[in-house]
Amino acid sequence: MNVYIKHRFLLLLPVLLGITFFTFVLMQLPADDTVDMMYKASGAVSETVKAAARAELGLDRPLLVRYLDWLLAVCSGDMGRSYISGTPVTALFVAKLQPTLYLTALALLLTACISVPLGIAAALRHNRCCDHLIRCCAFLGNSLPGFFYRFAAALLLCIKTELFYRPRRLRVRRSAAAGAGAGNSHVCQVYPAYPQ
């Protein structure tokens, strides 16, 4: 058993290295690099300033050298600094870790509370209507994308039942362009009616 676990861990290392390298290469593919994105909001910036910023950030070095530097820094616990805010990425990561772990634990608990009783019910009624229905729902649950469930949950919990959201009155206003237009063409805007 110990040999099997060691073998699986040894297979995990090249997979992790491959994923990190592939992701690092994908981050370098856009036409605008990090310096271009940093200075995009400030308007026209000379190429000498951009070149100095690239040299300061180490973006003028070869891709493989930058990847190895990043990998060694991450292995030592230094994830670098955010290009936008300048704060350490490790601090940002730790700040978001607690809510992420909370949501993950809640999702696992909810999944276990739903799937274990359904699995037992399907096993007790093997090859009957209940078993086929549970299998069909499990197949659909695994094949549909996550955003579909988020949309369905928002529709069900927020709009239909008003459990987490009280909708405001909606006012329909005819735009001025539609009023000036000819014929029966009406362009309407629907927006929430905030209290005045």
Side-chain angles (χ1 to χ4, degrees), residues 118-196:
L118 286 177
I120 292 171
L124 291 176
R125 293 167 182 83
H126 185 63
N127 282 336
R128 293 190 187 145
C129 183
C130 179
D131 179 31
H132 294 304
L133 182 65
I134 291 171
R135 264 193 272 172
C136 181
C137 289
F139 178 75
L140 283 174
N142 285 326
S143 61
L144 290 173
F147 68 84
F148 175 79
Y149 295 116
R150 288 188 289 277
F151 176 73
L155 185 67
L156 177 70
L157 297 174
C158 299
I159 296 171
K160 293 293 184 189
T161 63
E162 298 182 18
L163 189 60
F164 295 110
Y165 169 73
R166 269 186 65 206
R168 296 189 175 111
R169 289 180 302 108
L170 292 179
R171 287 188 285 181
V172 178
R173 179 177 69 179
R174 202 164 93 175
S175 69
N184 294 326
S185 61
H186 297 290
V187 178
C188 295
Q189 299 171 346
V190 178
Y191 62 96
Y194 296 104
Q196 303 295 337

Coordinates of all heavy atoms in Angstrom, one line a residue, residues 118-196:
L118 N -30.0 9.4 -1.2 CA -30.5 9.0 -2.5 C -29.8 7.8 -3.0 O -30.4 6.9 -3.7 CB -30.2 10.2 -3.5 CG -31.2 11.4 -3.4 CD1 -30.8 12.5 -4.4 CD2 -32.6 11.0 -3.6
G119 N -28.5 7.6 -2.7 CA -27.8 6.4 -3.1 C -28.3 5.2 -2.4 O -28.4 4.1 -3.0
I120 N -28.7 5.3 -1.1 CA -29.3 4.2 -0.3 C -30.6 3.9 -0.9 O -31.0 2.7 -1.1 CB -29.3 4.6 1.2 CG1 -27.9 4.7 1.7 CG2 -30.2 3.5 1.9 CD1 -27.9 5.2 3.2
A121 N -31.4 4.9 -1.2 CA -32.7 4.6 -1.8 C -32.6 3.9 -3.2 O -33.4 3.0 -3.5 CB -33.5 6.0 -1.9
A122 N -31.6 4.3 -4.0 CA -31.5 3.7 -5.3 C -31.0 2.3 -5.1 O -31.4 1.4 -5.9 CB -30.5 4.5 -6.1
A123 N -30.2 2.0 -4.1 CA -29.7 0.6 -3.9 C -30.8 -0.3 -3.4 O -30.9 -1.5 -3.7 CB -28.5 0.6 -2.9
L124 N -31.7 0.3 -2.5 CA -32.8 -0.6 -2.0 C -33.8 -0.9 -3.0 O -34.5 -1.9 -2.9 CB -33.4 0.2 -0.8 CG -32.6 0.3 0.5 CD1 -33.3 1.1 1.5 CD2 -32.2 -1.1 1.0
R125 N -34.0 0.0 -4.0 CA -35.0 -0.2 -5.1 C -34.3 -0.4 -6.4 O -34.5 0.4 -7.4 CB -35.9 1.0 -5.1 CG -36.8 1.1 -3.9 CD -37.5 2.4 -3.8 NE -38.3 2.6 -2.6 CZ -37.8 3.0 -1.4 NH1 -36.5 3.2 -1.3 NH2 -38.6 3.1 -0.4
H126 N -33.3 -1.3 -6.4 CA -32.5 -1.5 -7.6 C -33.3 -1.9 -8.9 O -34.2 -2.7 -8.8 CB -31.5 -2.6 -7.3 CG -30.5 -2.8 -8.4 ND1 -29.6 -1.8 -8.8 CD2 -30.3 -3.9 -9.2 CE1 -28.9 -2.3 -9.8 NE2 -29.2 -3.5 -10.1
N127 N -33.1 -1.2 -10.0 CA -33.7 -1.4 -11.3 C -35.2 -1.2 -11.2 O -36.0 -1.7 -12.0 CB -33.4 -2.8 -11.8 CG -32.0 -2.9 -12.4 OD1 -31.5 -1.8 -12.8 ND2 -31.5 -4.0 -12.5
R128 N -35.7 -0.3 -10.3 CA -37.1 0.1 -10.3 C -37.1 1.5 -10.7 O -36.2 2.2 -11.1 CB -37.6 -0.1 -8.9 CG -37.8 -1.6 -8.5 CD -38.5 -1.7 -7.2 NE -38.5 -3.1 -6.8 CZ -38.4 -3.5 -5.5 NH1 -38.5 -2.6 -4.6 NH2 -38.4 -4.7 -5.2
C129 N -38.3 2.1 -10.7 CA -38.6 3.4 -11.2 C -37.8 4.5 -10.4 O -37.2 5.4 -10.9 CB -40.1 3.7 -11.1 SG -40.5 5.4 -11.8
C130 N -37.7 4.3 -9.1 CA -37.0 5.2 -8.2 C -35.5 5.2 -8.6 O -34.9 6.2 -8.6 CB -37.2 4.8 -6.8 SG -36.4 5.9 -5.6
D131 N -34.9 4.0 -8.8 CA -33.5 3.9 -9.1 C -33.2 4.6 -10.4 O -32.2 5.3 -10.6 CB -33.2 2.4 -9.1 CG -31.7 2.2 -9.5 OD1 -30.9 3.0 -9.2 OD2 -31.4 1.1 -10.1
H132 N -34.1 4.3 -11.4 CA -33.9 5.0 -12.7 C -34.0 6.5 -12.7 O -33.2 7.2 -13.3 CB -34.9 4.4 -13.8 CG -34.6 3.0 -14.1 ND1 -33.4 2.5 -14.5 CD2 -35.5 1.9 -14.0 CE1 -33.6 1.2 -14.7 NE2 -34.8 0.8 -14.4
L133 N -34.9 7.0 -11.9 CA -35.1 8.4 -11.7 C -33.9 9.1 -11.1 O -33.4 10.1 -11.5 CB -36.3 8.7 -10.9 CG -36.7 10.2 -10.7 CD1 -37.0 10.9 -12.0 CD2 -37.8 10.3 -9.8
I134 N -33.4 8.4 -10.0 CA -32.2 8.9 -9.3 C -31.0 8.9 -10.2 O -30.2 9.8 -10.3 CB -31.9 8.1 -8.0 CG1 -33.0 8.5 -7.0 CG2 -30.6 8.5 -7.4 CD1 -33.0 7.6 -5.8
R135 N -30.8 7.8 -11.0 CA -29.7 7.7 -11.9 C -29.8 8.8 -13.0 O -28.8 9.4 -13.4 CB -29.6 6.3 -12.6 CG -28.7 5.4 -11.8 CD -28.4 4.2 -12.7 NE -29.5 3.2 -12.4 CZ -29.6 2.1 -13.0 NH1 -28.8 1.8 -14.1 NH2 -30.5 1.2 -12.7
C136 N -31.0 9.0 -13.5 CA -31.2 10.1 -14.5 C -30.8 11.4 -14.0 O -30.2 12.2 -14.6 CB -32.6 10.0 -15.0 SG -33.0 11.2 -16.3
C137 N -31.3 11.7 -12.8 CA -31.0 13.0 -12.1 C -29.5 13.2 -11.9 O -28.9 14.3 -12.1 CB -31.8 13.2 -10.8 SG -33.5 13.4 -11.1
A138 N -28.8 12.1 -11.4 CA -27.4 12.2 -11.2 C -26.6 12.4 -12.5 O -25.7 13.2 -12.6 CB -26.9 10.9 -10.5
F139 N -27.1 11.7 -13.6 CA -26.4 11.9 -14.9 C -26.6 13.4 -15.4 O -25.7 14.0 -15.8 CB -27.0 11.0 -15.9 CG -26.5 11.1 -17.3 CD1 -25.2 10.7 -17.6 CD2 -27.2 11.7 -18.3 CE1 -24.7 10.8 -18.8 CE2 -26.7 11.9 -19.5 CZ -25.4 11.4 -19.8
L140 N -27.8 13.9 -15.2 CA -28.1 15.3 -15.6 C -27.3 16.3 -14.7 O -26.8 17.3 -15.2 CB -29.6 15.6 -15.5 CG -30.4 15.1 -16.7 CD1 -31.9 15.4 -16.4 CD2 -30.0 15.7 -18.0
G141 N -27.2 15.9 -13.5 CA -26.5 16.8 -12.5 C -25.0 16.9 -12.9 O -24.3 17.9 -12.7
N142 N -24.4 15.8 -13.3 CA -23.0 15.8 -13.7 C -22.7 16.4 -15.1 O -21.6 16.8 -15.3 CB -22.4 14.4 -13.6 CG -22.2 13.9 -12.2 OD1 -21.9 14.7 -11.3 ND2 -22.5 12.6 -12.0
S143 N -23.7 16.3 -15.9 CA -23.5 16.8 -17.3 C -23.8 18.2 -17.5 O -23.2 18.9 -18.4 CB -24.3 15.9 -18.3 OG -25.7 16.1 -18.0
L144 N -24.7 18.8 -16.7 CA -25.0 20.3 -16.9 C -23.9 21.1 -16.3 O -23.4 20.8 -15.3 CB -26.4 20.6 -16.3 CG -27.6 20.0 -17.0 CD1 -28.8 20.2 -16.2 CD2 -27.7 20.6 -18.4
P145 N -23.6 22.3 -16.9 CA -22.6 23.2 -16.4 C -23.1 23.9 -15.1 O -24.3 24.0 -14.8 CB -22.4 24.2 -17.5 CG -23.6 24.1 -18.3 CD -24.2 22.8 -18.2
G146 N -22.1 24.3 -14.3 CA -22.4 25.0 -13.0 C -23.2 26.2 -13.1 O -24.0 26.5 -12.2
F147 N -23.0 27.0 -14.2 CA -23.7 28.3 -14.3 C -25.2 28.1 -14.4 O -26.0 28.9 -14.1 CB -23.2 29.2 -15.4 CG -23.4 28.7 -16.8 CD1 -24.6 28.9 -17.4 CD2 -22.4 28.0 -17.4 CE1 -24.9 28.4 -18.7 CE2 -22.7 27.5 -18.7 CZ -23.9 27.7 -19.4
F148 N -25.6 26.9 -15.0 CA -27.0 26.6 -15.1 C -27.7 26.4 -13.8 O -28.8 26.9 -13.5 CB -27.2 25.3 -16.0 CG -28.6 24.8 -16.1 CD1 -29.5 25.4 -16.9 CD2 -29.1 23.8 -15.2 CE1 -30.8 25.0 -17.0 CE2 -30.4 23.4 -15.3 CZ -31.3 24.0 -16.2
Y149 N -26.9 25.7 -12.8 CA -27.5 25.6 -11.5 C -27.6 26.9 -10.7 O -28.5 27.1 -10.0 CB -26.6 24.6 -10.7 CG -26.7 23.2 -11.3 CD1 -25.5 22.6 -11.8 CD2 -27.8 22.5 -11.3 CE1 -25.5 21.4 -12.4 CE2 -27.9 21.2 -11.9 CZ -26.7 20.7 -12.4 OH -26.8 19.4 -13.0
R150 N -26.6 27.7 -10.9 CA -26.6 29.1 -10.3 C -27.8 29.9 -10.8 O -28.5 30.5 -10.0 CB -25.3 29.8 -10.5 CG -24.1 29.2 -9.7 CD -22.9 30.0 -9.7 NE -22.2 30.0 -11.0 CZ -21.4 29.1 -11.4 NH1 -21.1 28.1 -10.6 NH2 -20.8 29.2 -12.6
F151 N -28.0 29.8 -12.1 CA -29.1 30.6 -12.6 C -30.5 30.0 -12.1 O -31.4 30.7 -11.8 CB -29.1 30.5 -14.2 CG -30.3 31.2 -14.8 CD1 -30.4 32.5 -14.8 CD2 -31.2 30.4 -15.4 CE1 -31.5 33.1 -15.5 CE2 -32.3 31.0 -16.0 CZ -32.5 32.3 -16.0
A152 N -30.6 28.7 -12.1 CA -31.8 28.0 -11.6 C -32.0 28.3 -10.2 O -33.2 28.6 -9.7 CB -31.7 26.5 -11.9
A153 N -31.0 28.3 -9.3 CA -31.1 28.6 -7.9 C -31.5 30.0 -7.7 O -32.4 30.4 -6.9 CB -29.8 28.3 -7.2
A154 N -30.9 31.0 -8.5 CA -31.3 32.4 -8.4 C -32.8 32.6 -8.8 O -33.5 33.3 -8.1 CB -30.4 33.2 -9.2
L155 N -33.2 31.9 -9.8 CA -34.5 32.0 -10.3 C -35.5 31.5 -9.2 O -36.5 32.1 -8.9 CB -34.7 31.3 -11.6 CG -36.1 31.4 -12.3 CD1 -36.3 32.8 -12.7 CD2 -36.1 30.5 -13.5
L156 N -35.2 30.3 -8.7 CA -36.1 29.7 -7.7 C -36.1 30.4 -6.4 O -37.2 30.7 -5.9 CB -35.7 28.2 -7.6 CG -36.5 27.4 -6.5 CD1 -37.9 27.2 -7.1 CD2 -35.8 26.1 -6.3
L157 N -34.9 30.6 -5.8 CA -34.8 31.2 -4.5 C -35.1 32.7 -4.4 O -35.6 33.2 -3.4 CB -33.5 30.8 -3.8 CG -33.2 29.3 -3.7 CD1 -31.8 29.1 -3.2 CD2 -34.2 28.7 -2.7
C158 N -34.7 33.4 -5.4 CA -34.7 34.8 -5.3 C -36.0 35.4 -6.0 O -36.5 36.4 -5.5 CB -33.5 35.4 -5.9 SG -32.0 34.9 -5.1
I159 N -36.4 34.9 -7.1 CA -37.4 35.6 -7.8 C -38.8 34.9 -7.6 O -39.8 35.6 -7.3 CB -37.1 35.6 -9.3 CG1 -35.8 36.4 -9.5 CG2 -38.2 36.1 -10.2 CD1 -35.2 36.4 -10.9
K160 N -38.8 33.6 -7.7 CA -40.1 32.9 -7.5 C -40.6 32.9 -6.1 O -41.7 33.2 -5.8 CB -40.0 31.5 -8.1 CG -39.8 31.4 -9.5 CD -41.0 31.9 -10.3 CE -40.7 31.7 -11.8 NZ -41.8 32.3 -12.6
T161 N -39.7 32.5 -5.1 CA -40.1 32.4 -3.7 C -39.9 33.7 -2.9 O -40.3 33.8 -1.8 CB -39.4 31.2 -3.1 OG1 -38.0 31.5 -3.1 CG2 -39.7 29.9 -3.8
E162 N -39.1 34.6 -3.5 CA -38.7 35.8 -2.8 C -38.0 35.5 -1.4 O -38.2 36.2 -0.4 CB -39.9 36.7 -2.6 CG -40.5 37.2 -3.8 CD -41.6 38.2 -3.6 OE1 -41.7 38.7 -2.5 OE2 -42.4 38.4 -4.6
L163 N -37.3 34.4 -1.3 CA -36.7 33.9 -0.1 C -35.5 34.8 0.3 O -35.4 35.2 1.5 CB -36.2 32.5 -0.2 CG -35.8 31.8 1.0 CD1 -36.9 31.7 2.1 CD2 -35.3 30.4 0.7
F164 N -34.7 35.2 -0.6 CA -33.5 36.0 -0.4 C -33.5 37.3 -1.0 O -32.6 38.1 -0.9 CB -32.2 35.2 -0.9 CG -32.0 34.0 -0.1 CD1 -32.1 32.7 -0.8 CD2 -31.6 34.0 1.2 CE1 -31.9 31.6 -0.1 CE2 -31.3 32.8 1.8 CZ -31.5 31.6 1.2
Y165 N -34.6 37.7 -1.7 CA -34.6 38.9 -2.4 C -36.0 39.4 -2.6 O -36.9 38.6 -2.9 CB -34.0 38.7 -3.8 CG -34.2 39.8 -4.8 CD1 -33.5 41.0 -4.7 CD2 -35.1 39.7 -5.9 CE1 -33.6 42.0 -5.6 CE2 -35.3 40.7 -6.8 CZ -34.5 41.9 -6.6 OH -34.7 42.9 -7.5
R166 N -36.3 40.6 -2.2 CA -37.6 41.2 -2.5 C -37.5 42.1 -3.7 O -36.8 43.1 -3.7 CB -38.0 42.1 -1.3 CG -38.8 41.3 -0.2 CD -39.3 42.2 0.8 NE -40.3 43.1 0.3 CZ -40.5 44.3 0.9 NH1 -39.9 44.6 2.0 NH2 -41.4 45.1 0.4
P167 N -38.2 41.7 -4.8 CA -38.1 42.5 -6.0 C -38.8 43.9 -5.8 O -39.8 44.0 -5.2 CB -38.8 41.7 -7.0 CG -39.7 40.8 -6.3 CD -39.0 40.6 -4.9
R168 N -38.1 44.9 -6.3 CA -38.7 46.2 -6.3 C -39.7 46.3 -7.5 O -39.6 45.5 -8.5 CB -37.6 47.3 -6.5 CG -36.7 47.3 -5.3 CD -35.8 48.5 -5.4 NE -35.0 48.6 -4.2 CZ -33.7 48.4 -4.2 NH1 -33.1 48.1 -5.3 NH2 -33.0 48.5 -3.1
R169 N -40.6 47.3 -7.4 CA -41.5 47.5 -8.5 C -40.7 47.8 -9.8 O -39.7 48.5 -9.7 CB -42.5 48.6 -8.2 CG -43.5 48.3 -7.2 CD -44.4 49.5 -6.9 NE -43.7 50.7 -6.5 CZ -43.5 51.8 -7.3 NH1 -44.0 51.8 -8.5 NH2 -42.8 52.9 -6.9
L170 N -41.1 47.3 -10.9 CA -40.5 47.7 -12.2 C -41.4 48.7 -12.9 O -42.6 48.5 -13.0 CB -40.3 46.4 -13.0 CG -39.2 45.4 -12.5 CD1 -39.2 44.2 -13.4 CD2 -37.9 46.1 -12.3
R171 N -40.7 49.7 -13.4 CA -41.5 50.7 -14.2 C -41.0 50.5 -15.6 O -39.8 50.3 -15.9 CB -41.2 52.1 -13.7 CG -41.8 52.4 -12.4 CD -41.7 53.9 -12.1 NE -40.3 54.1 -11.6 CZ -39.9 55.3 -11.2 NH1 -40.7 56.3 -11.3 NH2 -38.6 55.4 -10.8
V172 N -41.9 50.6 -16.5 CA -41.6 50.5 -18.0 C -41.7 51.9 -18.5 O -42.7 52.6 -18.4 CB -42.5 49.6 -18.7 CG1 -42.1 49.5 -20.2 CG2 -42.4 48.2 -18.1
R173 N -40.6 52.4 -19.1 CA -40.5 53.8 -19.6 C -40.2 53.7 -21.1 O -39.3 53.0 -21.5 CB -39.4 54.5 -18.9 CG -39.3 56.0 -19.3 CD -38.2 56.6 -18.5 NE -36.9 56.1 -18.8 CZ -35.8 56.5 -18.3 NH1 -35.8 57.5 -17.3 NH2 -34.6 56.0 -18.6
R174 N -41.0 54.5 -21.8 CA -40.8 54.6 -23.3 C -39.7 55.6 -23.5 O -39.7 56.7 -23.0 CB -42.0 55.0 -24.0 CG -42.0 54.6 -25.4 CD -43.4 54.6 -26.0 NE -43.6 56.0 -26.6 CZ -44.7 56.3 -27.3 NH1 -45.7 55.4 -27.4 NH2 -44.8 57.5 -27.8
S175 N -38.7 55.2 -24.3 CA -37.5 56.1 -24.5 C -37.9 57.2 -25.4 O -38.9 57.1 -26.2 CB -36.4 55.3 -25.1 OG -36.6 54.9 -26.4
A176 N -37.1 58.3 -25.4 CA -37.4 59.5 -26.2 C -37.3 59.1 -27.7 O -38.0 59.6 -28.5 CB -36.5 60.6 -25.8
A177 N -36.3 58.2 -28.0 CA -36.1 57.9 -29.4 C -37.3 57.1 -29.9 O -37.7 57.3 -31.1 CB -34.8 57.0 -29.5
A178 N -37.9 56.3 -29.1 CA -39.1 55.6 -29.5 C -40.3 56.5 -29.7 O -41.1 56.4 -30.6 CB -39.4 54.5 -28.6
G179 N -40.4 57.5 -28.8 CA -41.5 58.5 -28.9 C -41.4 59.3 -30.2 O -42.4 59.7 -30.8
A180 N -40.1 59.6 -30.6 CA -39.9 60.4 -31.8 C -40.0 59.6 -33.0 O -40.1 60.2 -34.1 CB -38.6 61.2 -31.7
G181 N -39.9 58.3 -32.9 CA -39.9 57.4 -34.1 C -41.3 57.3 -34.7 O -42.3 57.7 -34.1
A182 N -41.3 56.8 -35.9 CA -42.6 56.6 -36.6 C -43.2 55.3 -36.4 O -42.5 54.3 -36.0 CB -42.3 56.9 -38.1
G183 N -44.5 55.2 -36.6 CA -45.2 53.9 -36.5 C -45.3 53.3 -35.1 O -45.4 54.1 -34.2
N184 N -45.4 52.0 -35.1 CA -45.7 51.3 -33.8 C -44.4 50.8 -33.2 O -44.5 49.9 -32.3 CB -46.7 50.2 -34.0 CG -48.0 50.7 -34.5 OD1 -48.4 51.7 -34.0 ND2 -48.7 49.9 -35.3
S185 N -43.2 51.3 -33.6 CA -42.0 50.8 -33.0 C -41.8 51.4 -31.6 O -41.6 52.6 -31.5 CB -40.8 51.1 -33.9 OG -40.7 52.4 -34.1
H186 N -41.9 50.6 -30.6 CA -41.7 51.1 -29.2 C -40.5 50.5 -28.6 O -40.4 49.2 -28.5 CB -42.9 50.8 -28.3 CG -44.2 51.5 -28.8 ND1 -44.3 52.9 -28.8 CD2 -45.3 51.0 -29.4 CE1 -45.5 53.2 -29.3 NE2 -46.1 52.1 -29.7
V187 N -39.5 51.3 -28.2 CA -38.4 50.7 -27.5 C -38.6 51.0 -26.0 O -38.7 52.2 -25.6 CB -37.1 51.4 -28.0 CG1 -35.9 50.9 -27.2 CG2 -36.9 51.2 -29.4
C188 N -38.7 50.0 -25.2 CA -39.0 50.2 -23.8 C -37.7 49.8 -22.9 O -37.0 48.9 -23.3 CB -40.2 49.3 -23.3 SG -41.7 49.8 -24.1
Q189 N -37.5 50.5 -21.8 CA -36.5 50.2 -20.9 C -37.1 49.7 -19.6 O -38.0 50.4 -19.1 CB -35.6 51.4 -20.7 CG -34.9 51.9 -21.9 CD -34.2 53.2 -21.6 OE1 -34.5 53.9 -20.6 NE2 -33.3 53.6 -22.5
V190 N -36.7 48.6 -19.1 CA -37.2 48.1 -17.8 C -36.1 48.4 -16.8 O -35.0 47.9 -17.0 CB -37.6 46.7 -17.9 CG1 -38.1 46.2 -16.6 CG2 -38.7 46.5 -19.0
Y191 N -36.4 49.0 -15.7 CA -35.4 49.3 -14.6 C -36.1 49.3 -13.3 O -37.3 49.5 -13.2 CB -34.7 50.6 -14.9 CG -35.6 51.8 -14.9 CD1 -35.7 52.6 -13.7 CD2 -36.3 52.2 -16.0 CE1 -36.5 53.7 -13.7 CE2 -37.1 53.3 -16.0 CZ -37.2 54.0 -14.8 OH -38.0 55.1 -14.8
P192 N -35.4 49.0 -12.2 CA -36.0 48.9 -10.9 C -36.4 50.3 -10.5 O -35.7 51.3 -10.7 CB -34.9 48.4 -10.0 CG -33.7 48.3 -10.8 CD -34.0 48.5 -12.2
A193 N -37.5 50.4 -9.9 CA -38.1 51.7 -9.4 C -37.5 51.9 -8.0 O -38.0 51.4 -7.0 CB -39.6 51.7 -9.4
Y194 N -36.5 52.7 -7.8 CA -35.9 53.0 -6.5 C -36.8 54.1 -5.8 O -37.3 55.0 -6.5 CB -34.5 53.5 -6.6 CG -33.6 52.5 -7.2 CD1 -33.1 52.6 -8.5 CD2 -33.2 51.4 -6.4 CE1 -32.3 51.6 -9.0 CE2 -32.3 50.5 -6.9 CZ -31.9 50.6 -8.2 OH -31.1 49.6 -8.7
P195 N -36.9 54.0 -4.5 CA -37.7 55.0 -3.8 C -37.1 56.4 -4.0 O -35.9 56.5 -3.9 CB -37.7 54.5 -2.4 CG -36.7 53.5 -2.3 CD -36.4 53.0 -3.6
Q196 N -37.9 57.4 -4.3 CA -37.4 58.7 -4.5 C -37.2 59.4 -3.2 O -37.9 59.3 -2.2 CB -38.4 59.5 -5.3 CG -38.7 58.9 -6.6 CD -37.5 58.8 -7.6 OE1 -36.6 59.6 -7.5 NE2 -37.6 57.9 -8.5

